Amino acid sequence: MDLHNQGRQKFIEFPFVSAPHRDLMVNLLSTVEDRLGSHLLPCTLPLDVQHCQNESGSAQASLHIRSGLQSSQVDFILGSWLHCKLPTGGALNITSLSAYLNPSTDAPNFMIELIQSSPTSLVFILDLPPRKDPVLSPDYLQTFYENTQLDTHRQMLAKLPEVQPYVSSSLYLRSVLSPTVVMIQIGAQAGGPERMEEIVKNHIDPTAQEVLGIWLDHCARGERLVGEEEKAYMMKRDELIKKKTIEIDLGTNFPRLFGPEVTDRVLGAIQKVYNI
């Protein structure tokens, strides 16, 4: 079995989350690959980067990255999951999928992240992060956020009694997200794990699928090309975003969980894909 299929098979196991949570992530990845497959290269990361764990087995992570063809507007897609046991006896599980476009277009990227610290507590982030300042480009705001009615998804989820707004401690993260971002905390202590699974299956899953569909239809396959001057700006901005993302996602927690050797190996592979 080749690197791509062997690593992908391990990645889509999502072994530490509930069945609805796993189904959500697998379906999102499959949708992206079905729609963009002809624009993507296989994942060629070494197997010890695609899946890694620390010596004690208390932390595991899986990574799946597919770069876009040179002729494509897609830069790359990145899926990941992280599992680590907590000192309290529970576990932290983070699953994410991001899709980045290259500087030939200024259309937004796509991101989804689910952070679960217990079977009844979940943070859900879903967004099309803008790549231009909506204040300076009101047509950008209208095209991608108003005409697509993206804010209705946040409004619908906010009606659930278990849902509360979530405010990230990272000012940087809050500054790069769109005005229609879904950033919520779900507490299902009263209904138990069964209620959480019901919320993921009946509310989180369809919302994520609809927002991904909007991104695929209006951003990933669009004809919104930019000139050379704007392309240089997009290239610089995208590079800064990638560097900061690595710093936030890997710079703090990864060395503590996996040690310097695994961190350097994974970080080097990601930087190569990011071309930074």
Side-chain angles (χ1 to χ4, degrees):
M1 188 180 294
D2 59 31
L3 283 175
H4 172 82
N5 289 318
Q6 190 172 347
R8 185 184 187 279
Q9 187 174 22
K10 185 72 174 177
F11 171 66
I12 63 174
E13 289 177 0
F14 292 102
F16 301 102
V17 298
S18 67
H21 188 153
R22 180 173 61 252
D23 291 344
L24 162 65
M25 298 306 299
V26 172
N27 290 338
L28 289 175
L29 178 64
S30 297
T31 298
V32 170
E33 291 182 328
D34 288 345
R35 291 283 300 273
L36 300 179
S38 62
H39 298 264
L40 300 172
L41 295 168
C43 179
T44 56
L45 296 175
L47 289 178
D48 61 359
V49 171
Q50 293 193 54
H51 185 79
C52 57
Q53 67 178 44
N54 61 9
E55 291 184 0
S56 67
S58 62
Q60 296 185 44
S62 188
L63 190 65
H64 186 73
I65 304 178
R66 295 185 62 178
S67 297
L69 294 172
Q70 192 169 2
S71 59
S72 168
Q73 292 185 348
V74 179
D75 194 359
F76 59 88
I77 63 169
L78 186 155
S80 68
W81 58 256
L82 170 69
H83 166 81
C84 65
K85 296 177 181 177
L86 299 173
T88 57
L92 175 68
N93 289 293
I94 302 174
T95 60
S96 67
L97 179 65
S98 300
Y100 291 76
L101 300 177
N102 64 36
S104 66
T105 177
D106 62 6
N109 294 323
F110 171 84
M111 69 161 291
I112 181 173
E113 186 166 72
L114 292 89
I115 307 167
Q116 191 157 18
S117 55
S118 81
T120 58
S121 179
L122 176 72
V123 170
F124 175 52
I125 304 173
L126 176 68
D127 196 28
L128 305 188
R131 296 168 68 221
K132 289 184 71 172
D133 186 345
V135 175
L136 297 176
S137 306
D139 67 308
Y140 194 87
L141 186 68
Q142 183 173 11
T143 298
F144 295 113
Y145 302 100
E146 293 180 355
N147 292 350
T148 55
Q149 298 184 317
L150 272 177
D151 202 41
T152 59
H153 303 289
R154 179 193 60 80
Q155 295 169 2
M156 291 298 294
L157 290 173
K159 294 178 180 179
L160 295 173
E162 295 88 355
V163 167
Q164 296 291 331
Y166 174 74
V167 179
S168 171
S169 59
S170 170
L171 294 178
Y172 169 78
L173 177 63
R174 286 150 58 183
S175 72
V176 299
L177 297 175
S178 81
T180 61
V181 61
V182 175
M183 189 181 288
I184 58 175
Q185 185 159 2
I186 305 168
Q189 288 79 8
E194 295 80 9
R195 175 56 180 161
M196 179 62 77
E197 291 183 17
E198 180 184 317
I199 291 173
V200 171
K201 180 178 180 179
N202 296 333
H203 300 281
I204 300 297
D205 191 313
T207 297
Q209 294 288 353
E210 288 182 27
V211 172
L212 176 60
I214 290 171
W215 182 79
L216 288 167
D217 291 338
H218 297 272
C219 304
R221 303 291 292 271
E223 298 298 328
R224 190 180 171 102
L225 302 178
V226 299
E228 288 303 314
E229 183 177 344
E230 194 169 5
K231 185 176 181 180
Y233 164 80
M234 296 301 308
M235 191 175 297
K236 181 178 180 180
R237 186 184 187 280
D238 289 348
E239 183 176 320
L240 291 173
I241 293 286
K242 293 173 186 176
K243 287 181 177 178
K244 193 67 177 180
T245 299
I246 289 178
E247 178 184 324
I248 293 174
D249 291 347
L250 296 179
T252 305
N253 294 322
F254 222 81
R256 177 176 57 83
L257 293 173
F258 294 94
E261 182 181 343
V262 173
T263 299
D264 289 346
R265 185 168 69 236
V266 173
L267 187 61
I270 293 177
Q271 288 175 327
K272 186 175 180 180
V273 174
Y274 279 14
N275 196 26
I276 58 175

